[in-house]
């Protein structure tokens, strides 16, 4: 028995006809943490989740989830996990409450117990007012929350969330993030897939980046950022007239000519030494220059992704996604 | 990462017990019944079809085949019970197809429940549809002049046997529902299956009037056999042992072939 690792998968492979969806993926998730699996469309995120949820049989590789072996004890695995799939898997015709009660009954709650558990979850996900309404009348955010509630009925130790916020507005996305954080506080282990770099950065303790079925990077969000180049210093002087002077100061200090954006009046320059920031502040002060913005930034995960995979999460991919949903 | 950490707990692999299958199937059947209650229009086939068939065939064939509509109804209605049951059983495959393609079953498949429960439950829920279909049929037939001449117990037995047949026959539809990936093609395929069974039987016309090859099929067709059982139980009260045994054999065979086939295909379809 291993108490530290909730999900341990190695060498997962899966082929669909011509498509090699997974080419040997390793994933490790310590108990009580969030792993963000980041990748563009078609990277294999859903395939990996479906395998770990016992919905798909891998061609090769093995996995142990909450101490249960995926191959030899799939029923045991199913007893430990909760799944919120990429596409809502609640029943449109039934009400929110009926959906939850049905699942509770299947998980061996008594009739009264099922009713109580459904009410409790509806309350927790702020759906009490809509519990008696058919799910087809729900908004996207409500549906997502119900889907999440549905995957929590059996108090799973391990929760899979496949792109839980895709298609949600920023407000609804924030709500889902709050819920996920709350779950982890309760000790649940979460494996979350996402195409949103910000989401992985916000939620995940560790990030595994996959692309075309392979792991291309793995680490803490800040580690990943560091791995793809150092930090950048950004300065925006209060008046455009000072741009020249600031640029000179920065060049002097970093031995590099800063990037200059004349539209925004922002100067950007890579730096290796964080201590430089205080020096810059002093020099600007000495020169009597005030700045609206002065910051040391890690590169965005978008930059990381570009560096790791050679391509961005492009517009083209977004279009594919639209078509796939139709 | 070390592979040494990857050791599963030494608990024996859990299996799902038969008692759990029954419980889960009933939970899933509750879902099916709820869905029928929410969309009563789902019952339009089993309410409209009996009426349409009675009016159309009762009056069109009535004169030609049996001399008078009343006489024809006495022979035709028991057979129509079987035909309506078969038609009602086809919708199980169509709803299964939409459920699977929408991914509603994904959640069930990732839960520690009996894996066949979602399918068995859906079939059990269709019980409601058969009862409604047969009820409408017998009720409307009574208005047109059809008379049940046996006792209530025989009538009950007839209905029960018809429904049992529907529950077995629907596994053909379930199998096709899980096999065919395009929902558009489903209705056509279902019709292509239903037609030879229903029209290649003694429901509409006596077997004697058929060409030899069709008569040969009609003699052994489960629909003819079952129609004879219905006639015995509803109208003439005659001996039905032969056709009853034949019908039961068909039900057993249909279940033995299509139930495992469907479950296997279901489990394999997405994995
Ligand atoms: N059932 C299937 N049959 C055939 N190909 C499949 C199937 N499922 C997935 N694939 C293919 O496998 C690859 C990986 O798909 P997967 O759904 O895992 O990607 P993803 O990372 O989840 O993408 P998205 O962000 O679009 O959800 C894709 O090329 C996809 O077309
Ligand atoms: Mg996906």
């Amino acid at each position: 028995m291993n108490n530290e690792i909730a999900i341990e998968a190695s060498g997962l492979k899966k082929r669909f006809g011509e498509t090699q969806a997974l080419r040997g993926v390793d994933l490790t998730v310590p108990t009580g943490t969030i792993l963000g699996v980041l990748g563009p469309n078609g990277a294999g995120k859903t395939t990996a989740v479906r395998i770990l949820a016992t919905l798909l049989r891998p061609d090769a590789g093995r996995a142990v989830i909450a101490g249960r072996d995926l191959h030899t004890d799939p029923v045991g695995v199913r007893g430990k996990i909760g799944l919120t799939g990429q596409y809502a898997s609640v029943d449109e015709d039934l009400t929110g409450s009926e959906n939850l009660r049905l699942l509770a009954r299947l998980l061996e709650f008594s009739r009264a117990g099922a009713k109580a558990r459904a009410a409790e979850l509806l309350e927790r996900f702020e759906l009490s007012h809509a519990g008696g309404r058919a799910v087809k009348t729900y908004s996207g955010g409500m549906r997502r929350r119900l889907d999440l509630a549905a995957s929590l009925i059996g108090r799973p130790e391990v929760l899979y969330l496949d792109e839980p916020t895709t298609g949600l507005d920023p407000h609804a996305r924030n709500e889902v993030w709050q819920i996920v954080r709350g779950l982890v506080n309760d000790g649940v282990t979460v494996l979350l897939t996402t195409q949103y770099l910000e989401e992985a950065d916000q939620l995940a303790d560790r990030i595994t980046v996959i692309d075309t079925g392979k792991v291309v990077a793995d680490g803490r969000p800040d580690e990943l950022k560091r791995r793809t180049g150092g930090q950048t210093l950004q300065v925006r002087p209060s008046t455009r007239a000072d741009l020249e002077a600031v640029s000179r100061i920065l060049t002097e200090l970093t031995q590099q000519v800063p990037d200059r954006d004349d539209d925004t009046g922002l100067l950007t320059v890579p730096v290796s030494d964080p201590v430089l920031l205080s020096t810059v502040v002093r020099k600007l002060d000495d020169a009597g220059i005030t700045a609206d913005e002065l910051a040391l930034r890690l590169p965005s995960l978008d930059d990381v992704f570009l560096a790791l995979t050679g391509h961005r999460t492009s517009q083209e991919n977004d279009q594919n996604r639209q078509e796939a949903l139709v | 990462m070390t592979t040494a950490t990857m050791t599963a707990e030494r608990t024996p692999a859990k299996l799902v017990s038969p008692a759990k299958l029954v419980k889960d199937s009933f939970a899933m059947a509750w879902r099916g019944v709820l869905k029928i209650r929410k969309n009563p229009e789902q019952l339009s086939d089993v309410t409209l079809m009996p009426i349409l068939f009675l009016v159309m065939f009762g009056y069109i064939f009535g004169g030609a085949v049996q001399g008078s509509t009343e006489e024809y109804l006495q022979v035709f209605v028991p057979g129509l019970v079987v035909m309506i049951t078969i038609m009602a059983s086809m919708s199980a495959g169509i709803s299964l197809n939409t459920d699977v393609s929408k991914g509603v079953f994904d959640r069930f498949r990732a839960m520690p429940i009996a894996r066949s429960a979602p399918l068995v439950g859906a079939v059990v829920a269709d019980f409601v549809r058969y009862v409604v279909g047969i009820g409408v049929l017998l009720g409307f037939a009574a208005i047109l002049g059809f008379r049940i001449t046996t006792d209530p117990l025989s009538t009950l037995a007839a209905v029960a046997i018809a429904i049992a047949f529907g529950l077995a026959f629907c596994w053909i539809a379930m199998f096709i529902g899980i096999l065919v990936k395009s929902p558009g093609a489903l209705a056509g395929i279902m019709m292509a299956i239903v037609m030879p069974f229903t029209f290649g039987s003694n429901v509409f016309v006596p077997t004697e009037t058929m060409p030899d090859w069709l008569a040969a099929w009609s003699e052994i067709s489960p629909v003819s056999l079952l129609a004879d059982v219905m006639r015995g139980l509803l109208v003439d009260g005659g001996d039905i042992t032969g056709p009853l045994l034949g019908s039961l054999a068909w039900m057993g065979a249909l279940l033995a072939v299509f139930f495992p086939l469907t479950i296997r295909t279901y489990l394999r379809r997405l994995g």
Side-chain angles (χ1 to χ4, degrees):
Chain A
M1 171 100 189
N2 189 319
N3 282 320
E4 269 85 65
I5 305 295
I7 305 173
E8 173 112 70
S10 71
L12 295 180
K13 289 188 183 157
K14 182 72 188 179
R15 166 188 284 280
F16 297 105
E18 295 290 284
T19 316
Q20 188 71 49
L22 295 181
R23 341 170 165 250
V25 166
D26 301 337
L27 295 171
T28 309
V29 193
T31 302
T33 67
I34 305 183
L35 174 73
V37 174
L38 184 64
N41 287 134
K45 303 182 295 294
T46 298
T47 306
V49 166
R50 291 178 66 83
I51 286 173
L52 295 174
T54 76
L55 294 176
L56 269 182
R57 207 179 274 276
D59 300 333
R62 47 174 312 213
V64 174
I65 291 128
R68 314 291 156 134
D69 190 292
L70 194 67
H71 283 284
T72 59
D73 188 14
V75 179
V77 171
R78 286 178 207 132
K80 298 281 184 185
I81 62 170
L83 167 68
T84 299
Q86 184 166 1
Y87 305 105
S89 51
V90 281
D91 205 313
E92 299 269 302
D93 291 329
L94 304 191
T95 67
S97 166
E98 284 163 351
N99 265 293
L100 299 182
R101 267 150 59 205
L102 168 64
L103 298 171
R105 292 291 280 161
L106 290 169
L107 290 170
E108 312 212 34
F109 281 74
S110 68
R111 198 177 294 268
K115 209 170 157 184
R117 182 76 176 137
E120 179 193 334
L121 283 167
L122 287 171
E123 171 82 45
R124 173 159 166 204
F125 289 86
E126 291 168 25
L127 287 168
S128 294
H129 63 287
R133 246 163 57 198
V135 172
K136 59 179 158 226
T137 68
Y138 283 23
S139 72
M142 291 164 74
R143 215 171 281 226
R144 263 292 155 195
R145 294 208 301 275
L146 182 68
D147 221 351
L148 263 167
S151 56
L152 294 174
I153 290 178
R155 299 192 170 81
E157 290 173 26
V158 173
L159 185 64
Y160 304 126
L161 304 174
D162 195 2
E163 301 197 21
T165 64
T166 299
L168 296 189
D169 63 35
H171 175 70
R173 179 175 303 176
N174 249 308
E175 283 178 348
V176 171
W177 287 356
Q178 285 309 323
I179 291 168
V180 173
R181 290 191 186 110
L183 289 171
V184 173
N185 283 339
D186 295 346
V188 178
T189 305
V190 176
L191 187 154
L192 162 134
T193 78
T194 182
Q195 298 189 43
Y196 299 120
L197 309 159
E198 190 199 349
E199 182 158 270
D201 194 19
Q202 282 277 336
L203 289 178
D205 297 298
R206 289 188 74 84
I207 296 177
T208 296
V209 184
I210 64 172
D211 188 42
T212 59
K214 288 188 311 283
V215 172
V216 293
D218 177 51
R220 290 203 316 272
D222 56 334
E223 276 173 6
L224 280 186
K225 289 176 187 167
R226 221 164 269 138
R227 200 180 300 173
T228 41
Q231 309 160 72
T232 54
L233 182 67
Q234 296 184 318
V235 185
R236 189 194 347 246
S238 306
T239 50
R240 295 287 167 105
D242 288 334
L243 270 175
E244 258 327 299
V246 177
S247 182
R248 233 178 300 115
I249 292 169
L250 291 177
T251 312
E252 197 179 299
L253 285 171
T254 63
Q255 323 300 330
Q256 288 181 78
V257 182
D259 230 24
R260 176 169 161 174
D261 187 330
D262 282 319
D263 289 337
T264 57
L266 194 69
L267 293 163
T268 312
V269 66
V271 291
S272 43
D273 182 7
V275 181
L276 209 68
L277 187 60
S278 51
T279 318
V280 172
V281 173
R282 209 177 50 241
K283 291 253 174 190
L284 290 179
D285 214 25
D286 290 350
I289 298 170
T290 55
D292 286 345
E293 193 178 334
L294 178 64
L296 202 54
R297 289 238 158 81
L298 293 171
S300 76
L301 272 171
D302 228 340
D303 301 330
V304 174
F305 203 81
L306 180 63
L308 293 171
T309 65
H311 58 84
R312 285 183 186 276
T313 52
S314 65
Q315 218 56 48
E316 189 189 349
N317 275 330
D318 281 346
Q319 245 156 35
N320 286 343
R321 153 167 300 273
Q322 287 309 321
E323 278 157 27
L325 286 172
V326 171
Chain B
M1 187 200 323
T2 57
T3 41
T5 57
M6 205 151 71
T7 43
E9 223 173 304
R10 283 200 157 273
T11 46
K14 260 206 253 162
L15 289 175
V16 176
S17 71
K20 177 95 171 104
L21 168 62
V22 173
K23 249 176 82 181
D24 293 345
S25 298
F26 273 106
M28 293 303 304
W30 176 65
R31 164 181 184 263
V33 173
L34 273 178
K35 286 181 78 115
I36 293 174
R37 230 171 52 197
K38 313 254 158 165
N39 301 310
E41 69 272 13
Q42 277 182 22
L43 291 174
S44 58
D45 59 336
V46 289
T47 44
L48 292 180
M49 256 190 326
I51 295 175
L52 266 172
F53 275 104
L54 273 173
V55 172
M56 273 173 36
F57 291 97
Y59 287 97
I60 296 168
F61 290 163
V65 182
Q66 215 79 25
S68 80
T69 299
E70 279 75 38
E71 277 171 66
Y72 182 61
L73 280 180
Q74 292 303 103
V75 182
F76 177 52
V77 170
L80 201 50
V81 170
V82 184
M83 170 149 180
I84 292 299
T85 305
I86 283 194
M87 297 209 140
S89 76
M90 290 296 115
S91 80
I94 294 174
S95 32
L96 175 65
N97 189 271
T98 43
D99 271 351
V100 170
S101 58
K102 272 194 197 154
V104 176
F105 279 11
D106 272 3
R107 185 180 300 285
F108 302 134
R109 290 172 71 238
M111 288 168 73
I113 62 170
R115 301 208 94 184
S116 55
L119 303 193
V120 176
V123 166
V124 171
D126 267 358
F127 191 87
V128 176
R129 296 169 46 78
Y130 300 120
V131 171
V132 170
I134 296 172
V136 169
L137 171 65
L138 292 180
F140 193 68
I143 296 172
L144 295 186
F146 170 72
R147 291 289 166 262
I148 294 175
T149 56
T150 55
D151 52 296
L153 206 63
S154 303
T155 309
L156 211 61
V159 174
I161 292 170
I163 292 176
F165 182 74
L167 294 179
F169 195 83
C170 74
W171 286 100
I172 299 182
M174 296 287 278
F175 178 58
I176 293 165
I178 208 104
L179 206 60
V180 175
K181 302 251 160 88
S182 61
L186 269 184
I189 300 176
M190 300 289 184
M191 269 298 136
I193 292 166
V194 166
M195 287 304 163
F197 274 102
T198 52
F199 289 96
S201 75
N202 63 19
V203 168
F204 295 98
V205 293
T207 304
E208 300 87 70
T209 63
M210 295 177 182
D212 286 349
W213 61 271
L214 190 58
W217 160 244
S218 173
E219 295 279 346
I220 57 155
S221 156
V223 179
S224 297
L225 293 169
L226 207 66
D228 284 339
V229 173
M230 294 299 128
R231 287 185 194 109
L233 286 173
L234 293 174
V235 181
D236 49 40
D239 179 30
I240 53 160
T241 318
L244 182 59
L245 288 179
S247 305
L248 291 177
W250 265 103
M251 291 185 215
L254 286 171
L255 266 183
V257 172
F258 287 99
F259 177 69
L261 215 51
T262 307
I263 302 294
R264 269 245 298 283
T265 315
Y266 164 67
L267 293 182
R268 203 176 289 165
R269 164 149 174 192
L270 301 157

